[in-house]
Amino acid sequence: MVLFNRRTSLLMISILLGLIAILSTGIRVRTQQKPNISPTNNATYPVAPPPKRVDPLPDDRDMQEREAETDYRISNLLSDFAGSLWVGSWRGLSQINPNTGNIIACVSLPNVTIGALAQDKVGSLWVGNYEGLTPIDLRTNKITAQNLLLPSKRLLSLLIDKWGYLWTGTDSGLALISPAQGLIMTIVKNMPGVCVNAMTLDAEGELGTGTLDGLIRVNTASALIMRRIHNLPGSTVQTLAISPEGLIWPGIPNQLVVVNPKNAIVLRSITPLRGQNVTSVRFAQDGSIWVGTTNGLLGLNANTGAFLDRVAGLPSNRVLTVVPDLGNKLWVGTSEGLAWLMPTSEGLAWLMPTMDKARPHFGFRRSVK
């Protein structure tokens, strides 16, 4: 009984102490004084007209922000056997009538980031993007199902050799494909330079590949590496072209050079292109050469390498691809869209008297305000 009374007493004492603590807290809260807010502490603003309207307005700004995310680069141009121009961009694939400039068709692709285009001897169009290789039947402009296990899904270059086989350059090596069967014939392992940025066929029908470590010559019959040309002034080859004499013109980040593929000797460096980042090289039917750089498009005399003129009026100075002599025009793909020039009958005096600069194709560029 005594123990029970002690426990009861302790419990009562605990309850009383808790009540006292709660009451004292409430008293402190109620006794806090409010801050002294006087009218003199109110913020005042000088009398002035409202600020000028911000241009663009919020609705326009939202539209421009969405537009800025779109990449308008024209990464590849291809002239097919029927004389049409295929435009590969980072927004998809389109077919153009080069005579009128009208868009004939737009092909829906699973991945629109196009890196390379090629047409085989059967007539199918092969599209290399950053998700693999996509064949298109040109009779229907429909994709034919393919699932090829390439060294990498990121395609950088495509080329049809003299045997009709398709060479695919990726960022992890080189593969040979039979277009008729849709099968991989072989993969070139231990490719020097790894990334196959560009390809061309030399006068003997052998494959010249531009990589991160120079120029590699590959036998198209055996897929074996024949020769390695790594003594270029710059190691990375970004573009390749073959001259009518069978010489290879590699474009590198700091100049344009001429190489004899048989003996791997660098014959000369083109003086006007020294210090220029060369991104595209193409020979025209009149013997001139068009060189795209990150600083514009230049016309050169292929025999002497002399600088002739610089093209004005392009959507961007960063030229990515060039196709001459199609629809009596020179087509230029840049980082900001597509443009064309119409040469005259006087050869390298290549601008029409009524045209003093290139004309942009408004279907492949940003809207102009």
Side-chain angles (χ1 to χ4, degrees):
M1 191 63 153
V2 175
L3 180 60
F4 176 78
N5 290 337
R6 287 180 179 176
R7 288 181 177 176
T8 304
S9 301
L10 292 173
L11 180 59
M12 294 299 293
I13 292 171
S14 300
I15 293 172
L16 290 173
L17 291 174
L19 291 173
I20 293 171
I22 292 173
L23 291 173
S24 63
T25 303
I27 292 171
R28 285 197 300 270
V29 171
R30 287 193 298 270
T31 57
Q32 287 180 351
Q33 294 183 355
K34 295 182 179 181
N36 183 18
I37 301 176
S38 61
T40 58
N41 293 333
N42 293 338
T44 59
Y45 299 93
V47 178
K52 295 182 179 180
R53 184 175 63 178
V54 177
D55 188 27
L57 294 176
D59 292 341
D60 298 333
R61 186 182 301 115
D62 182 62
M63 180 181 65
Q64 287 189 358
E65 288 176 355
R66 291 197 303 270
E67 181 184 2
E69 297 175 356
T70 304
D71 198 318
Y72 286 84
R73 77 180 65 185
I74 306 298
S75 54
N76 206 274
L77 297 174
L78 175 70
S79 172
D80 66 13
F81 298 150
S84 296
L85 176 66
W86 289 91
V87 181
S89 70
W90 279 29
R91 295 190 298 154
L93 179 66
S94 302
Q95 184 184 13
I96 286 182
N97 183 332
N99 297 309
T100 63
N102 295 333
I103 298 176
I104 301 173
C106 295
V107 181
S108 177
L109 298 173
N111 186 285
V112 297
T113 310
I114 297 175
L117 297 172
Q119 184 183 12
D120 61 26
K121 295 185 178 180
V122 181
S124 296
L125 183 69
W126 294 81
V127 182
N129 53 44
Y130 285 6
E131 288 296 332
L133 188 61
T134 304
I136 298 174
D137 187 346
L138 293 183
R139 294 170 296 181
T140 61
N141 283 351
K142 300 294 183 181
I143 298 174
T144 57
Q146 291 288 336
N147 187 17
L148 299 173
L149 188 60
L150 298 170
S152 170
K153 289 185 177 181
R154 186 174 182 181
L155 273 293
L156 304 177
S157 56
L158 295 172
L159 184 138
I160 302 294
D161 66 14
K162 63 180 180 180
W163 313 101
Y165 292 110
L166 175 65
W167 291 87
T168 61
T170 75
D171 63 352
S172 297
L174 187 65
L176 177 63
I177 296 175
S178 171
Q181 299 175 342
L183 299 174
I184 294 180
M185 307 293 291
T186 186
I187 294 177
V188 181
K189 298 181 179 179
N190 301 321
M191 187 75 179
V194 185
C195 291
V196 183
N197 298 320
M199 291 186 285
T200 189
L201 289 178
D202 61 24
E204 297 180 352
E206 307 300 350
L207 184 68
T209 62
T211 70
L212 298 178
D213 193 23
L215 184 62
I216 313 298
R217 196 180 187 209
V218 179
N219 187 297
T220 53
S222 62
L224 296 177
I225 296 176
M226 302 174 61
R227 188 183 295 273
R228 182 179 178 183
I229 306 172
H230 52 79
N231 58 342
L232 300 177
S235 58
T236 300
V237 176
Q238 301 181 137
T239 183
L240 290 173
I242 189 77
S243 71
E245 298 79 20
L247 302 177
I248 296 180
W249 292 56
I252 53 183
N254 59 353
Q255 59 185 299
L256 177 65
V257 296
V258 182
V259 177
N260 187 331
K262 295 183 179 180
N263 53 23
I265 295 177
V266 178
L267 300 178
R268 69 181 190 272
S269 172
I270 308 303
T271 303
L273 274 302
R274 291 178 181 174
Q276 296 285 336
N277 187 359
V278 179
T279 54
S280 180
V281 180
R282 290 294 181 272
F283 283 86
Q285 294 178 358
D286 61 1
S288 61
I289 183 171
W290 298 98
V291 182
T293 71
T294 55
N295 193 31
L297 179 65
L298 308 178
L300 302 177
N301 185 313
N303 296 322
T304 64
F307 171 73
L308 297 172
D309 212 335
R310 183 186 299 269
V311 177
L314 296 173
S316 168
N317 284 333
R318 186 184 177 193
V319 178
L320 303 178
T321 178
V322 179
V323 171
D325 306 315
L326 184 60
N328 196 30
K329 299 177 183 67
L330 170 71
W331 294 89
V332 186
T334 74
S335 61
E336 289 293 333
L338 179 67
W340 54 272
L341 294 167
M342 185 177 291
T344 66
S345 59
E346 298 177 359
L348 247 18
W350 33 274
L351 293 181
M352 292 289 289
T354 58
M355 185 192 307
D356 57 356
K357 61 181 181 180
R359 290 187 178 181
H361 195 296
F362 291 100
F364 298 91
R365 60 168 299 181
R366 300 182 191 275
S367 58
V368 180
K369 295 183 179 180

